[in-house]
Amino acid sequence: MTQPGMTSVAEVKEPSRAALNKLWAGVMLEELARLGVEHVCIAPGSRSTPLTLAADDNEKLILHTHFDERGLGFMALGLAKASRQPVAVVVTSGTAVANLLPAVAEAGLTGEKLVLLTSDRPPELIQCGANQAIRQHGIFSDHVTEFHDIPSPTEDISPNWLLTTIDSAMYQQSLRGGAIHFNCHYPEPLYGEDYDFSSYLATLDAWLDDDQPYSRYQQAISAQVVLDRAAWLSFANCKGVVVAGRMVPGELPVVQALADKLGWPLLVDPQAGGSSDWAGFDVWMQNGQCREYLEQAEVVLQFGARLVSKRLLQFIGAHHWRQYWLVDPLGIRLDPTHRRSHRIQADIGNWAELACELLSESFSSASIGWAEGLKRASAAYFKLLAAQNAQLSEVSLAANLPQWLPEQTDLYLGNSLIVRLLDMCGQLPQTATFANRGASGIDGLVATAVGVQLARQAPLLCLLGDTSLLYDLNSLALLKNCQQPMVVLVTNNDGGAIFDLLPVPDSQKEALYRMPHGFEFSHAAAMFGLDYHCPRTLEEAEQACRRGLMQQGATLIEIQTPPGQSGELIKSLFTEVRNATLL
């Protein structure tokens, strides 16, 4: 880190305040860079000038900008989700800070590491009528892992305190995940020349001369995976089910290998990034014969949580398991049914690999292959589904789209109806898959997908609904700088079609739940300079998707379907599957 130095502090005391603001910001950002922050997401603002200019001066940092703070927070979330590293966010004071709450809440539930650097008025200008000043102290409540109110920069406070404050908070984040919040009070002037602070920084000479963090923390408890072999072998000799929930890219094949060795069915959530021979379980579990067959299971081994399938969640909650094991790296409760369980906090890939190793090559159990019949049920269900899906609809799109993806294409899945349709009707290839399934909100989905692609630098398909896109329309501006192929595929059914599947009052469904809008997205694509397609057939949709994922830059594909169609198709499908002979 270079020291600013031009004019002596003693020469011009008051104007040096701007330089001291920037110095504190620079010290903070340098330490964050040493602790693993590489990406900084910045929104425009004057009060955040010290942080913005300090970030721009630091060559270790990659800067990303967006004019919409809510979208900025979600872009940072996507970067953190895909990189698995902490990502910093810089915003100005006032409601700019409040706009980060949705992304912060999501990170608090799913563990992505955000470092919030919010600028604030000095304390004497808060709650006295000053412009753009709100109460920012503790604004994110317990949605953040740590909060620190950073006082107005002063030479009366040692810079060493600033570094140890950063280090302590970042260590807690390394243990617990989630966002940490530094609320930084900057007095005016915010713009000015640099000054010589060498005497003030004298206690940091050693830190300035190297590239290591100021404080070093060492976790005393080993993070090595430990597994009780006797308990595991007893568990493995039961009739079991393996459930693959949210996990990071590369973990599903290890879980698949373990399920194969156990000889148990593998039920794969869309967030796991793939599928299995038991796909479509959210639908075929509604068939009485299939559900009765699955109820032979005695134990469940679940990797990751926040499952999409309501039927699977209900089955896990209602079934009388001998044992229920749940493996996830987060150290929080993840079972909404509050079953008696064996909760294992561990890296999913490492745990599954060790569990597989503990099963000898000659491992044999009477339970191996006990659910082969349900493979046939899955195949029969997809044959039935294919017979119904010659025309373009949201259901046929979900059933066919997984076959359209070029190799090495990442997926970002929106919430509400579309992710449920993929769970019901899709057989996803093994690919890196991301979603915001913590709070399961529909806001910030485009921005999150952009953040994912910025981190991974790979072609990406973002699949979402019309209300979700309307909610995050500003973030289409982020697509103009895409360096890799990116397709935003929006299913436009004129409102919230998810409510067609829920028992909302019929008399109020349209006005108060579905809220039809009557919009289409060609003008939005033109406004933001995006390639746009509105296919009318499955073949046209496939061609547009394949082309978009092979060409540099962003494409918006809009699938328009009649309001209410998806709900009717799904209800009809459910009825047919319930009465079908699948086994």
Side-chain angles (χ1 to χ4, degrees):
M1 176 182 174
T2 59
Q3 298 183 37
M6 288 184 65
T7 308
S8 168
V9 177
E11 291 176 354
V12 189
K13 185 66 176 178
E14 192 63 21
S16 71
R17 180 175 287 171
L20 188 58
N21 287 342
K22 185 181 175 186
L23 177 75
W24 272 41
V27 167
M28 294 178 73
L29 283 158
E30 173 64 23
E31 187 70 346
L32 289 173
R34 297 185 187 195
L35 290 166
V37 171
E38 183 179 3
H39 297 276
V40 182
C41 297
I42 299 175
S46 183
R47 189 64 53 169
S48 52
T49 290
L51 290 161
T52 298
L53 295 183
D56 192 48
D57 284 349
N58 194 315
E59 295 181 355
K60 299 174 184 175
L61 300 174
I62 302 170
L63 273 55
H64 309 277
T65 60
H66 191 23
F67 52 80
D68 177 346
E69 285 89 3
R70 187 180 66 186
L72 185 83
F74 279 104
M75 179 168 64
L77 181 80
L79 276 160
K81 189 185 293 287
S83 68
R84 304 177 70 187
Q85 297 296 323
V87 173
V89 182
V90 172
V91 299
T92 193
S93 61
T95 56
V97 181
N99 272 291
L100 297 176
L101 179 58
V104 172
E106 179 73 18
L109 292 170
T110 52
E112 286 84 13
K113 298 172 182 175
L114 301 181
V115 181
L116 312 174
L117 301 170
T118 64
S119 11
D120 201 351
R121 261 47 179 175
E124 65 271 16
L125 291 182
I126 297 172
Q127 291 188 275
C128 65
N131 185 47
Q132 201 174 319
I134 67 171
R135 294 189 300 276
Q136 295 176 197
H137 187 287
I139 191 171
F140 300 118
S141 184
D142 57 3
H143 293 293
V144 294
T145 299
E146 286 260 323
F147 168 73
H148 292 277
D149 210 37
I150 305 298
S152 296
T154 170
E155 292 181 78
D156 293 333
I157 297 177
S158 163
N160 307 59
W161 171 85
L162 200 57
L163 289 171
T164 58
T165 300
I166 295 286
D167 294 340
S168 174
M170 291 291 285
Y171 177 65
Q172 290 304 314
Q173 184 183 62
S174 73
L175 297 177
R176 298 155 54 195
I180 55 176
H181 180 199
F182 299 103
N183 189 53
C184 306
H185 296 269
Y186 294 123
E188 294 183 1
L190 302 169
Y191 310 92
E193 299 297 325
D194 289 339
Y195 289 86
D196 180 8
F197 288 106
S198 55
S199 59
Y200 175 63
L201 294 173
T203 56
L204 298 184
D205 282 348
W207 178 78
L208 290 166
D209 287 341
D210 63 33
D211 60 357
Q212 298 300 306
Y214 186 74
S215 309
R216 301 185 190 184
Y217 286 84
Q218 181 175 348
Q219 190 175 0
I221 302 172
S222 172
Q224 184 177 357
V225 175
V226 177
L227 186 54
D228 184 323
R229 188 173 187 276
W232 167 237
L233 291 178
S234 174
F235 184 85
N237 275 284
C238 299
K239 282 185 178 180
V241 174
V242 179
V243 175
R246 187 182 83 119
M247 54 184 68
V248 302
E251 290 182 335
L252 182 59
V254 186
V255 171
Q256 174 79 66
L258 176 60
D260 290 345
K261 199 161 190 178
L262 289 165
W264 294 356
L266 174 63
L267 307 183
V268 182
D269 186 274
Q271 301 168 87
S275 188
S276 76
D277 291 335
W278 290 269
F281 54 83
D282 186 78
V283 179
W284 59 249
M285 282 177 68
Q286 299 180 63
N287 179 281
Q289 287 181 305
C290 292
R291 187 175 181 89
E292 185 176 339
Y293 195 118
L294 190 62
E295 285 174 348
Q296 296 177 57
E298 301 166 316
V299 298
V300 63
L301 175 59
Q302 181 176 331
F303 294 95
R306 306 192 181 281
L307 306 176
V308 170
S309 170
K310 183 177 291 187
R311 251 70 58 180
L312 182 55
L313 283 168
Q314 291 170 342
F315 176 65
I316 291 172
H319 191 57
H320 298 292
W321 304 103
R322 285 173 53 182
Q323 293 188 67
Y324 170 43
W325 290 19
L326 194 156
V327 184
D328 192 278
L330 292 178
I332 59 177
R333 290 187 295 175
L334 291 169
D335 173 23
T337 65
H338 304 289
R339 298 294 308 236
R340 187 177 189 182
S341 64
H342 180 36
R343 178 67 172 85
I344 303 163
Q345 184 182 0
D347 178 271
I348 288 174
N350 291 344
W351 193 94
E353 188 173 6
L354 177 60
C356 206
E357 290 174 0
L358 291 180
L359 299 176
S360 65
E361 290 187 13
S362 59
F363 172 75
S364 179
S365 167
S367 66
I368 290 178
W370 72 270
E372 290 295 302
L374 291 175
K375 280 187 182 180
R376 296 189 293 274
S378 173
Y381 160 62
F382 279 104
K383 185 176 180 180
L384 180 154
L385 183 65
Q388 298 183 353
N389 286 315
Q391 303 301 315
L392 178 60
S393 68
E394 289 180 271
V395 173
S396 65
L397 179 72
N400 287 277
L401 184 142
Q403 285 74 55
W404 302 347
L405 302 181
E407 289 187 9
Q408 309 302 316
T409 299
D410 292 348
L411 271 177
Y412 180 83
L413 306 179
N415 289 322
S416 294
L417 183 60
I418 194 62
V419 72
R420 287 170 171 80
L421 288 176
L422 278 174
D423 193 36
M424 295 171 185
C425 308
Q427 293 174 285
L428 293 176
Q430 284 200 0
T431 190
T433 303
F434 303 88
N436 287 356
R437 294 295 298 175
S440 297
I442 64 167
D443 46 345
L445 301 183
V446 173
T448 308
V450 170
V452 166
Q453 189 177 62
L454 284 170
R456 290 185 55 81
Q457 291 297 307
L460 182 138
L461 171 64
C462 171
L463 193 60
L464 74 167
D466 51 332
T467 307
S468 299
L469 182 53
L470 287 170
Y471 212 108
D472 200 27
L473 209 58
N474 281 351
S475 293
L476 289 178
L478 296 170
L479 301 183
K480 65 180 180 180
N481 295 321
C482 285
Q483 299 301 308
Q484 295 284 339
M486 181 170 180
V487 169
V488 175
L489 195 157
V490 56
T491 55
N492 187 352
N493 48 46
D494 194 23
I498 185 65
F499 295 107
D500 292 333
L501 303 181
L502 301 175
V504 300
D506 286 337
S507 61
Q508 293 147 313
K509 182 188 296 183
E510 284 295 294
L512 300 181
Y513 293 91
R514 292 195 81 256
M515 295 189 185
H517 48 74
F519 300 131
E520 52 89 26
F521 294 98
S522 63
H523 295 291
M527 176 181 177
F528 292 103
L530 305 178
D531 193 13
Y532 172 82
H533 299 278
C534 186
R536 300 299 178 183
T537 67
L538 270 175
E539 183 180 5
E540 289 177 2
E542 178 179 0
Q543 291 173 354
C545 190
R546 288 186 183 275
R547 279 198 304 267
L549 290 171
M550 296 298 290
Q551 65 187 27
Q552 183 176 338
T555 303
L556 178 62
I557 299 175
E558 179 177 1
I559 307 294
Q560 296 179 356
T561 59
Q565 180 194 66
S566 298
E568 292 303 316
L569 289 172
I570 293 166
K571 290 174 184 177
S572 175
L573 178 64
F574 287 175
T575 299
E576 187 167 358
V577 168
R578 287 190 191 104
N579 299 321
T581 302
L582 300 179
L583 290 170

